Amino acid sequence: MLTAHPPGPGLRGYPLTSTGLLRSMLAPTLAAAMLPLCAAAFRQPVDGATLILAILVFALSFPGRFPRNGSLSGTVANVLAGWLPVAALLLLLGWATRTLDDFDARMLVAWALLTPLAQIAIQRLFPLALPFLIAADGGPRVAIVVGHGQLSRQLVAAITGAPELGIRIAGHFDDRALSRLHPTGDDGVIGPLGKVADYARQHAVDLIYITLPMASQPRILRLLDELRDTTASIYFTPDIFVTDLIQGHLDTVGGIPVVGICETPHYGVSGPLKRASDLVLASLILILIAPLMLAIAIAIRRQSPGPVIFRQRRYGLDGREIIVYKFRTMTVAEDGGEIRQATRDDSRVTPLGAFLRRTSLDELPQFINVLQGRMSIVGPRPHAVAHNELYRKLISGYMLRHKVRPGITGWAQVNGLRGETDTLDKMQKRVDYDLAYLRDWSLRWDLEIILKTVFVVLKKSNAY
């Protein structure tokens, strides 16, 4: 169990799957998008007033009302129940502020009529597109349920009844004899609790729901310790807190309460916001540093034989292997089962490489990794695969740092934990800071870390 929590700001969001988030954004996005389309149809300029109205209608409509199933009449009633109050409020605001004359009346009427029609159409078509959307998001997430009783069966029924969640239940784990379980015997039982962690690792399980009674606290604690060497998101149902939480939050699945024990901080709207900020910042930075990167590449090529870019396997989001780019700073390009970390006065480091490492200029190609979606600008620094395999066995909770994309810089790095980690204690401190970042992530904190990174690099501390 972790006991030390390095300081950091706090923020909590609400969980949504990518498909669920898309559902909640469809109606507001359609309402906003129909406005400039109607303006163009009536040859009206898409000016500042139009854009402000589009933003306003999106804000008033989000999150959109989107029932799971229903008849055509039910869909129409749902759309009108969501759209009419918004349209009436906007009409009232326009009248009160005397801004209605800024818009063509024909355009407003067309917008008011076409928007609900478009929302009805998209709600009816969405179920047909759902399998393709889930497949585009990486396919269904695999889940297992620990415990096999009435509560677990209710949870499974709620999940299977909500296909938009994109969750596939692989089965249950329970220690009790089959005769004490569900009347149908071994209905969905994979094995005992002692096999949960191994099964999660071997079958790439994404979600684990624990439905054991509160009286089973010792077994739950033991299970949580075993699951620290996986990247699965873990949920309790019902409400119980017995371990250090990573983005702990209360949620419901089909009305069944679950408690998030270990979750990525980038769920719900936080994920798209994080990704959008990465794309914008990385694109701007690459445009600015392109001449510098070209000069570095030429200098590396002239100084020593070998590739300009060093490619190394690292663990990325959810523990999946990725390829990370760096400017080559050594005479070797190690990426095997054993990798020796760079040390002070390391003979493998070239003179130019020593300068690049001190100034962190060797990390610049990783902004390309950010555009690829492999990395983020801010997050836990990725370690070589060989180092991950070593430290995951020595440090409890080590693999939890992979619940987010690895970063070019991170909370640990701006707190002096850069460079070589030649002792277990140094790596433990780095992991502690990484997990603190996961607990309390926010975009504002990311910006703070980016600014602090500039000062850390200028001081050239602990990089060689």
Side-chain angles (χ1 to χ4, degrees), residues 391-439:
Y391 287 113
R392 71 187 299 174
K393 302 173 183 176
L394 301 175
I395 299 176
S396 177
Y398 178 87
M399 290 300 293
L400 297 180
R401 63 198 301 275
H402 298 94
K403 294 300 296 180
V404 296
R405 289 184 178 89
I408 298 175
T409 185
W411 184 233
Q413 283 64 47
V414 299
N415 281 279
L417 297 168
R418 298 176 70 214
E420 183 187 10
T421 50
D422 53 350
T423 67
L424 184 62
D425 181 63
K426 287 184 179 180
M427 183 59 78
Q428 178 70 68
K429 289 181 179 178
R430 179 179 287 188
V431 171
D432 287 345
Y433 273 92
D434 288 340
L435 297 187
Y437 172 79
L438 264 65
R439 289 187 197 95

Side-chain angles (χ1 to χ4, degrees), residues 342-347 420 462-464:
T343 59
R344 193 179 301 275
D345 301 323
D346 196 316
S347 60
E420 183 187 10
N462 298 337
Y464 38 84

